[in-house]
């Protein structure tokens, strides 16, 4: 199975605030908030949901296909991704706009305040999936956070053409209407959210927990430090705890890392539980670095840490699929 990863392509500007946002926010004055945080660090990283996920898959030896809209400044980023095994031939390049920008400040408790400039991403709604699917023969389309019109167009095309797809609305749940979200998830093989996004999706669509699950095959809900739950209409709930961390550096892209590892392991044919374990460990590697693509998967280290978190059987089952990496 090969995966087409659609979604935002962006540059991340990541800053650190040496304090707690909660100590600067006055509940009685939130209606007229005006704050400036003096940060002590700034790094500029390659980002965007789709490249983060595609990069993670490639780190595990996969051959993901990236699709989305980028600006005329994408050349260096493209070269980076292609050097790391990501197929970028189907990326749309805007003649008029810069690649999207994500500007994020993280405090001492890993809380974040962020802004996102769409730029070229607005042109993703003009992208048709069929040429990329026909060129690469992918078996699954991942529709991750992107221009909302692009997301609903992609899901409609998948249903019309019979493509298997996974819906991953994440940050765009706040932006999309209930009708758009209901249209996006209808018929999805997989639905990814975190626990807050799950509740927000239900609230905006007016659908109950059971009604959401009735519209998809399997629902994957990440629970932060409590792990992940995987539920399906014809399967018992699977719960997997988080992988053990060695440090907390930056949470940016952690969810993308989970999706990359989870989908890569499903591509290998592993069980839901084992796939979630691979995803959780990849997410932990992202947490331990600054940025969503600043880590390297090493076969020996990865299997050792799988054993540390999930036991020797997990490491032994995953090891053969890491043969193509160092």
């Amino acid at each position: 199975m090969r995966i087409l990863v659609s979604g935002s392509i962006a540059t991340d500007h990541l800053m650190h605030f040496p304090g707690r946002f909660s100590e600067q926010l006055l509940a009685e004055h939130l209606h007229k908030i005006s704050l400036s945080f003096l940060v002590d660090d700034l790094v500029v990283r390659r980002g965007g949901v789709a490249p983060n996920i595609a990069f993670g898959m490639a780190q595990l030896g996969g051959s993901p296909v990236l699709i989305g809209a980028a600006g005329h400044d994408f050349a260096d980023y493209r070269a980076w991704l292609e050097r790391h095994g990501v197929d970028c031939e189907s990326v749309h390049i805007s003649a008029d706009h810069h690649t999207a920008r994500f500007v994020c400040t993280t405090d001492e408790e890993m809380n974040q305040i962020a802004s996102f400039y769409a730029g070229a991403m607005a042109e993703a709604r003009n992208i048709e999936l069929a040429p990329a699917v026909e060129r690469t023969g992918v078996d699954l389309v991942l529709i991750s956070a992107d221009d909302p019109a692009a997301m609903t167009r992609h899901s409609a095309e998948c249903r019309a053409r019979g493509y298997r797809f996974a819906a991953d609305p994440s940050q765009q749940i706040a932006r999309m209407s209930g009708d758009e979200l209901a249209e996006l998830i209808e018929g999805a093989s997989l639905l990814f959210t975190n626990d807050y996004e799950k509740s927000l999706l239900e609230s905006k669509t007016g659908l109950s927990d059971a009604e959401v699950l009735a519209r998809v095959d399997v629902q994957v809900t990440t629970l932060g430090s409590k792990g992940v739950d995987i539920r399906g209409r014809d399967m018992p709930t699977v719960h997997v705890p988080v992988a053990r961390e060695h440090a907390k550096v930056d949470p940016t892209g952690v969810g993308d890392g989970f999706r990359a590892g989870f989908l890569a392991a499903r591509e290998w044919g592993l069980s839901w539980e084992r796939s979630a374990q691979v995803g959780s460990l990849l997410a932990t590697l992202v947490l331990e670095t600054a940025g969503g693509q600043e880590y390297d998967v090493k076969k020996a280290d990865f299997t050792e840490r799988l054993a540390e978190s999930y036991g020797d059987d997990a490491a032994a089952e995953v090891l053969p699929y890491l043969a193509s990496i160092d």
Side-chain angles (χ1 to χ4, degrees), residues 17-77:
F17 172 60
R20 296 176 175 84
F21 293 143
S22 59
E23 295 174 353
Q24 320 304 320
L25 301 173
L26 303 176
E28 64 272 23
H29 295 296
L30 289 180
H31 65 288
K32 56 177 182 180
I33 188 170
S34 179
L35 287 172
S36 175
F37 296 99
L38 181 62
V39 300
D40 62 4
D41 189 35
L42 165 66
V43 292
V44 180
R45 303 290 188 192
R46 293 164 285 266
V49 173
N52 285 348
I53 295 172
F55 176 88
M57 290 179 183
Q59 282 287 298
L60 292 172
S63 302
V65 181
L66 176 65
I67 191 166
H72 45 77
D73 54 348
F74 183 61
D76 288 345
Y77 194 174

Side-chain angles (χ1 to χ4, degrees), residues 62 99 154:
T99 300
H154 293 341

Side-chain angles (χ1 to χ4, degrees), residues 9-13 44 73 98-103 115-120:
I9 300 171
T11 301
D12 292 345
H13 296 247
V44 180
D73 54 348
H98 290 288
T99 300
R101 296 286 188 275
F102 175 63
V103 182
S115 297
F116 189 86
Y117 164 69

Side-chain angles (χ1 to χ4, degrees), residues 199-254:
S199 297
L200 184 58
L201 185 146
E202 291 167 6
S203 174
K204 296 193 75 169
T205 59
L207 298 172
S208 67
D209 174 76
E211 288 171 332
V212 170
L213 190 57
R215 284 162 168 76
V216 304
D217 293 336
V218 175
Q219 186 170 15
V220 181
T221 307
T222 56
L223 309 169
S225 62
K226 296 180 181 179
V228 58
D229 282 342
I230 305 166
R231 302 185 307 146
R233 285 171 288 175
D234 302 314
M235 58 179 279
T237 298
V238 175
H239 176 77
V240 172
V242 296
R244 295 179 186 176
E245 64 193 39
H246 293 175
K248 283 184 178 178
V249 176
D250 180 11
T252 306
V254 168

Side-chain angles (χ1 to χ4, degrees), residues 2 54-55 57-59 61-66 78-88:
R2 199 174 183 196
F55 176 88
M57 290 179 183
Q59 282 287 298
S63 302
V65 181
L66 176 65
R78 178 182 190 135
W80 160 269
L81 290 169
E82 290 178 340
R83 286 199 306 273
H84 287 84
V86 177
D87 181 333
C88 296

